[in-house]
Amino acid sequence: MGRIVLGIGTSHSPMLNATLDEWMRFAPRDPTLRYFDSNGAPVSYQTLLEQAGGRFDGECTRERFAERQRSAHAALDRLAGEIERARPDALVIVGDDQKELFLDYNVPGLLVYHGATIPHRQRPAKPEWIDWFAAIQSRYYAESGRVDYPVDAALARHLIEQLVAHDFDVSAADRLPRDEGEGHAFAFVHRRLLRALPGLPVVPVFLNTYYPPNQPTPKRCYAIGRAIRAAVEAYPSPIRVAVLASGGLSHFVVDEAFDRSIVGALRDKNAEVLTELPAQRLVSGSSEIRNWIAAAGAVEHLPLDWVEYIPAYRSPAGTGTGLCFAAWRE
């Protein structure tokens, strides 16, 4: 009988790949991006700036950026230490794909990868990224060549079989499309959190958080997490498993009140709050909160040991990322 012994939640924002000087360059770039308000409706940067009315000006200094950057990297180091100390036999990573692997002709709502290994390789920059931002994006991946990280294929197949037995329509894959390497949600974990444990077998679980029309509802995400835990507990050998949520929280407009309500629900194990989150709040980058909801379902038997929330504003319009890092453990 297996058991989940550790839960991890981590943001994977490009801001976490950036130098302090590069943090200073986000504000001039942010007016070119697309944004959504709290009702899920498109909103312009200029409108956000007018609504902010100067509230975030003091948040966008080099000193504040440096403070947040230090706190975020300290939290990442702490998460890496949690995994290293727990020494799980396998790590289930719940993450999303942003058309890095799955394109419009086939976007699975839920997919479990069960290949023997998962490739990780350098990714060429997109044409629109041929600037300083390209360097930040490239840091998710190897500088050159290819690494094949181990996958616990037996556990992955067991998860697939158990999910099907519990009426989940799950896709399965034993290789990545077009001979690509893993996407950023998974690459960040390998590059930043598993440096000391590169041989730790993983089980990648893909949730389509971003793209309509087949995004899992929050209630379904929580049920997926519970089903993952039940599957681990039904495993025929005494395997020790960690579960990790990659992504989130709110972005690309920081919604500090919303993020803190989610942190509170995670701490209080308030499944009702998590499962009833309105879909219009989970759009764009904020959609990755679904990964945290799934992880919360998987680790609801574990206490939330610590959490670090950092509202990483990067422009006077309040754009940026609600960075969050958390650990559940026995």
Side-chain angles (χ1 to χ4, degrees), residues 100-147:
E100 298 150 291
L101 302 173
F102 305 108
L103 306 181
D104 287 339
Y105 58 81
N106 181 22
V107 180
L110 166 65
L111 181 143
V112 178
Y113 179 88
H114 64 99
T117 60
I118 188 165
H120 174 106
R121 61 178 10 145
Q122 183 184 36
R123 281 178 172 266
K126 295 181 179 179
E128 63 270 25
W129 290 352
I130 306 303
D131 59 8
W132 62 273
F133 190 65
I136 294 174
Q137 292 292 98
S138 72
R139 292 172 198 149
Y140 285 112
Y141 311 107
E143 290 85 358
S144 62
R146 166 175 169 156
V147 181

Side-chain angles (χ1 to χ4, degrees), residues 80-103:
E82 293 279 2
I83 300 170
E84 188 173 2
R85 285 188 295 275
R87 291 282 171 173
D89 299 307
L91 174 64
V92 175
I93 304 174
V94 183
D96 56 299
D97 182 76
Q98 296 177 24
K99 297 186 178 178
E100 298 150 291
L101 302 173
F102 305 108
L103 306 181

Side-chain angles (χ1 to χ4, degrees), residues 291-310:
N291 297 329
W292 285 70
I293 297 170
V299 301
E300 63 181 354
H301 63 298
L302 297 177
L304 180 61
D305 186 58
W306 64 270
V307 61
E308 177 87 8
Y309 176 71
I310 303 167

Side-chain angles (χ1 to χ4, degrees), residues 129-206:
W129 290 352
I130 306 303
D131 59 8
W132 62 273
F133 190 65
I136 294 174
Q137 292 292 98
S138 72
R139 292 172 198 149
Y140 285 112
Y141 311 107
E143 290 85 358
S144 62
R146 166 175 169 156
V147 181
D148 290 295
Y149 288 112
V151 172
D152 192 326
L155 176 60
R157 287 186 64 88
H158 176 77
L159 289 187
I160 294 165
E161 292 164 358
Q162 290 293 304
L163 286 165
V164 170
H166 288 85
D167 299 323
F168 287 89
D169 297 319
V170 56
S171 297
D174 66 357
R175 69 203 69 185
L176 298 182
R178 304 178 309 282
D179 198 34
E180 293 277 7
E182 63 183 350
H184 76 290
F186 304 90
F188 181 82
V189 176
H190 275 125
R191 294 277 288 171
R192 187 61 179 84
L193 298 183
L194 299 183
R195 292 172 179 169
L197 297 171
L200 175 63
V202 300
V203 176
V205 176
F206 294 81

Side-chain angles (χ1 to χ4, degrees), residues 4 44 50-51 72 108-109 112 132 153 167 183-184 283 325:
I4 293 175
S44 70
E50 292 168 359
Q51 292 173 345
V112 178
W132 62 273
D167 299 323
H184 76 290
V283 299
F325 313 92

Side-chain angles (χ1 to χ4, degrees), residues 199-308:
L200 175 63
V202 300
V203 176
V205 176
F206 294 81
L207 290 184
N208 173 32
T209 72
Y210 252 80
Y211 303 109
N214 66 330
Q215 298 153 293
T217 65
K219 184 175 291 185
R220 194 63 167 169
C221 292
Y222 199 86
I224 289 168
R226 281 178 163 169
I228 289 172
R229 185 177 79 252
V232 170
E233 292 174 350
Y235 198 65
S237 63
I239 191 171
R240 300 172 67 257
V241 176
V243 174
L244 183 148
S246 180
L249 295 180
S250 66
H251 59 294
F252 297 95
V253 178
V254 178
D255 191 335
E256 190 170 345
F258 182 54
D259 288 343
R260 293 192 184 280
S261 72
I262 291 168
V263 170
L266 294 170
R267 181 180 289 113
D268 298 339
K269 299 190 178 299
N270 193 329
E272 182 177 359
V273 168
L274 295 174
T275 59
E276 297 301 324
L277 289 174
Q280 64 266 27
R281 303 298 295 273
L282 303 178
V283 299
S284 189
S286 301
S287 71
E288 292 174 340
I289 291 167
R290 289 179 169 90
N291 297 329
W292 285 70
I293 297 170
V299 301
E300 63 181 354
H301 63 298
L302 297 177
L304 180 61
D305 186 58
W306 64 270
V307 61
E308 177 87 8

